[in-house]
């Protein structure tokens, strides 16, 4: 901006110097119409340069204002997005806290209903159960769990067949009674 102002000032000084050099047209040292015309031209040149400077300043001010507005909008959008996601996170934390509280209440009510002697007995058996769980073959357990859906389908089919056979025998029994 300073460089531009210096350039404009230099141009202004050059034009003023050109007009000043030719100020006394008659050379008589008196102010006459030609001298007034030269002064008028000098003033017009100064006004023209000032107009250019003012236009440039106004354009820069508009650009700065637009950039400020754009930055403000971007900042507001970022704040809105931050607020939105923080609100979601807050709700999730509150929901998780409520679930933990419910689990704690359930656990507390379960423990309060258990006989202290039975609880002590369970706590005594816990290390033994842990040792037994450590000895389980995880791969074999996974194999059994993988085959469990197929087995359940077979059991369901078998149950359907047994029901249809029972229904058939029930129908035969009613036919023979009649």
């Amino acid at each position: 901006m300073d460089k531009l102002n210096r350039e404009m000032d230099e141009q202004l000084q050059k034009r003023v110097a050109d007009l000043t050099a030719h100020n006394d047209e008659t050379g008589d040292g008196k102010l006459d119409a030609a001298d007034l015309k030269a002064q008028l031209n000098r003033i017009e040149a100064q006004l023209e340069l000032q107009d250019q400077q003012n236009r440039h300043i106004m354009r820069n001010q508009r650009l700065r204002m637009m950039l400020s507005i754009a930055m403000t909008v971007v900042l507001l959008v970022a704040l809105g997005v931050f607020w939105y996601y923080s609100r979601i996170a807050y709700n999730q934390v509150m929901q998780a806290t409520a679930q933990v509280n419910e689990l704690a209440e359930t656990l507390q009510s379960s423990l309060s209903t258990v006989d202290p002697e039975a609880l002590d007995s369970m706590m005594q058996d816990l290390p033994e159960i842990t040792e037994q769980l450590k000895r389980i073959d995880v791969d074999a357990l996974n194999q059994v769990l993988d085959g469990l859906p197929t087995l359940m389908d077979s059991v369901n089919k078998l149950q359907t067949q047994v029901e249809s056979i029972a229904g058939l025998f029930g129908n035969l029994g009613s036919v023979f009674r009649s």
Side-chain angles (χ1 to χ4, degrees), residues 159-175:
Q159 184 178 4
T160 305
Q161 288 175 355
V162 167
E163 288 174 0
S164 67
I165 290 172
L168 180 65
F169 282 130
N171 288 339
L172 283 178
S174 64
V175 168

Side-chain angles (χ1 to χ4, degrees), residues 27-85:
D28 58 1
K30 293 182 183 178
L31 187 61
D32 55 3
D35 293 335
L36 290 176
K37 176 68 176 155
Q39 288 176 358
L40 181 61
N41 287 341
R42 190 178 324 111
I43 292 171
E44 286 177 350
Q46 288 174 344
L47 289 175
E48 182 181 323
L49 286 173
Q50 284 179 345
D51 184 52
Q52 289 175 359
Q53 288 175 341
N54 289 342
R55 288 176 191 270
H56 186 71
I57 289 169
M58 291 299 290
R59 185 179 40 194
N60 284 342
Q61 291 298 328
R62 267 188 249 120
L63 180 63
R64 285 183 184 145
M65 184 176 62
M66 293 299 211
L67 287 174
S68 297
I69 290 171
M71 288 173 46
T72 303
V73 167
V74 167
L75 183 62
L76 288 174
V77 167
L79 285 173
V81 168
F82 175 75
W83 178 81
Y84 175 74
Y85 283 112

Side-chain angles (χ1 to χ4, degrees), residues 103-119:
L103 287 174
E105 286 178 24
T106 304
L107 181 62
Q108 185 63 36
S109 66
S110 296
L111 287 176
S112 64
T113 59
V114 173
D115 181 27
E117 292 175 8
L119 180 62

Side-chain angles (χ1 to χ4, degrees), residues 74-143:
V74 167
L75 183 62
L76 288 174
V77 167
L79 285 173
V81 168
F82 175 75
W83 178 81
Y84 175 74
Y85 283 112
S86 64
R87 187 74 180 152
I88 289 173
Y90 173 78
N91 287 336
Q92 289 174 347
V93 166
M94 293 307 290
Q95 193 175 34
T97 304
Q99 290 173 350
V100 167
N101 287 340
E102 287 176 17
L103 287 174
E105 286 178 24
T106 304
L107 181 62
Q108 185 63 36
S109 66
S110 296
L111 287 176
S112 64
T113 59
V114 173
D115 181 27
E117 292 175 8
L119 180 62
D120 188 41
S121 173
M122 283 190 272
M123 293 304 285
Q124 296 296 327
D125 293 339
L126 190 59
E128 186 179 318
I129 293 171
T130 305
E131 285 300 318
Q132 289 176 359
L133 286 174
K134 287 180 182 176
R135 284 187 247 133
I136 292 177
D137 183 12
V138 175
D139 293 331
L141 183 61
N142 284 336
Q143 237 176 356

